[in-house]
Amino acid sequence: MPTVTKFVLHNYWRSSASQRVRTAFGLKGLEFEYVAVNITAAGGAQQLEDAYRVRNPSRQVPALELTFDNGTTRTLTQSLPIMEWLDDVYPTPPILPEDPYLRARARALAEIINSGVQPFQNLTTGSRIRELGGDDKAWVKPFMTDGLIAYAAACADVAGDFSVGDHPTIADCCLIPQLATSRRYGIDLAPFQKLLAIETRCLALPSFAAATPERQVDAVVH
Ligand SMILES: N[C@@H](CCC(=O)N[C@@H](CS)C(=O)NCC(=O)O)C(=O)O
């Protein structure tokens, strides 16, 4: 099997799905080249351009471009499959538990955020709601709160220092950006003390800290 010689991550500093993948790279101790794709309307909505659509037909970040030692290139999309691929190809340290039941539980937690919350807070979703005359911010907030309620309940019996056991998994890679986004939207996080304790432990790790939006080259920090 050819070996990857270069990773190029097409991503955006404040994209939660991008942050998941950046964190997984950090946990694996792997380096990647950072290509910024400005997904905001003010920044030109580069994800909607034809040149980017070739990389990701969904016109979203992230997209991970792989260059192999035989000169070929391939692209992966969707943050969860990208993280799973990283874990398959670079198994140490694992970012999924070894036990199949716990693996499924970690995946379920990741999906609570990936499919149960994040699509509702997407830029495209917000702009379509505004086009229909709605208040996208007010609309999305209950999804964020409900998602965190579900996540807290779903990890209650398996959490240790992290969401599943005592090692970071793909679930934590999803949780940390979601907590930050929820905070930015003014969601009351006080009821989620266990999740906040997990967040503190995660952010004490260099891999999680280095993946945070503020630390990225394209960050716009006011
Ligand atoms: N399920 C996808 C979600 C990707 C996604 O929605 N990315 C957002 C940023 S977090 C995006 O590119 N949004 C652009 C838009 O809404 O136009 C994944 O996990 O990769």
Side-chain angles (χ1 to χ4, degrees):
M1 196 172 68
T3 305
V4 179
T5 52
K6 189 165 86 160
F7 296 104
V8 179
L9 185 63
H10 299 262
N11 74 136
Y12 179 65
W13 67 287
R14 208 154 69 172
S15 149
S16 59
S18 301
Q19 187 177 341
R20 298 171 192 165
V21 174
R22 294 194 298 258
T23 307
F25 264 97
L27 287 167
K28 294 291 180 186
L30 294 169
E31 305 275 330
F32 61 87
E33 186 180 315
Y34 191 109
V35 173
V37 180
N38 194 326
I39 62 174
T40 64
Q46 294 171 347
Q47 79 281 19
L48 305 181
E49 291 172 5
D50 288 344
Y52 185 77
R53 193 201 296 237
V54 175
R55 296 194 196 290
N56 186 343
S58 298
R59 307 195 296 178
Q60 296 171 336
V61 288
L64 179 64
E65 199 183 315
L66 313 168
T67 302
F68 293 91
D69 56 2
N70 63 7
T72 59
T73 58
R74 285 177 161 174
T75 303
L76 288 171
T77 62
Q78 297 290 338
S79 61
L80 294 190
I82 292 173
M83 291 193 286
E84 296 251 1
W85 179 87
L86 279 175
D87 207 41
D88 286 342
V89 180
Y90 305 92
T92 310
I95 54 173
L96 278 164
E98 202 181 328
D99 176 75
Y101 172 73
L102 292 176
R103 289 168 86 82
R105 293 291 301 270
R107 287 174 173 134
L109 287 166
E111 282 296 351
I112 287 174
I113 293 169
N114 182 57
S115 58
V117 183
Q118 190 274 338
F120 301 115
Q121 71 201 24
N122 225 342
L123 291 176
T124 308
T125 310
S127 68
R128 296 225 167 114
I129 288 171
R130 288 195 300 279
E131 275 164 32
L132 293 169
D135 177 344
D136 59 310
K137 299 268 183 318
W139 178 83
V140 76
K141 285 181 185 185
F143 290 107
M144 291 184 177
T145 302
D146 290 350
L148 291 176
I149 291 170
Y151 192 103
C155 76
D157 64 328
V158 289
D161 284 345
F162 296 93
S163 296
V164 183
D166 292 326
H167 300 283
T169 64
I170 61 169
D172 302 296
C173 294
C174 292
L175 174 66
I176 301 314
Q178 188 55 45
L179 284 171
T181 305
S182 303
R183 199 173 274 121
R184 195 151 54 83
Y185 275 73
I187 303 297
D188 179 13
L189 297 181
F192 305 110
Q193 290 304 317
K194 285 197 175 155
L195 302 187
L196 295 177
I198 290 172
E199 181 188 39
T200 301
R201 282 184 214 105
C202 285
L203 290 176
L205 299 176
S207 45
F208 279 88
T212 53
E214 302 70 29
R215 300 264 298 262
Q216 309 314 307
V217 285
D218 55 333
V220 181
V221 183
H222 302 288

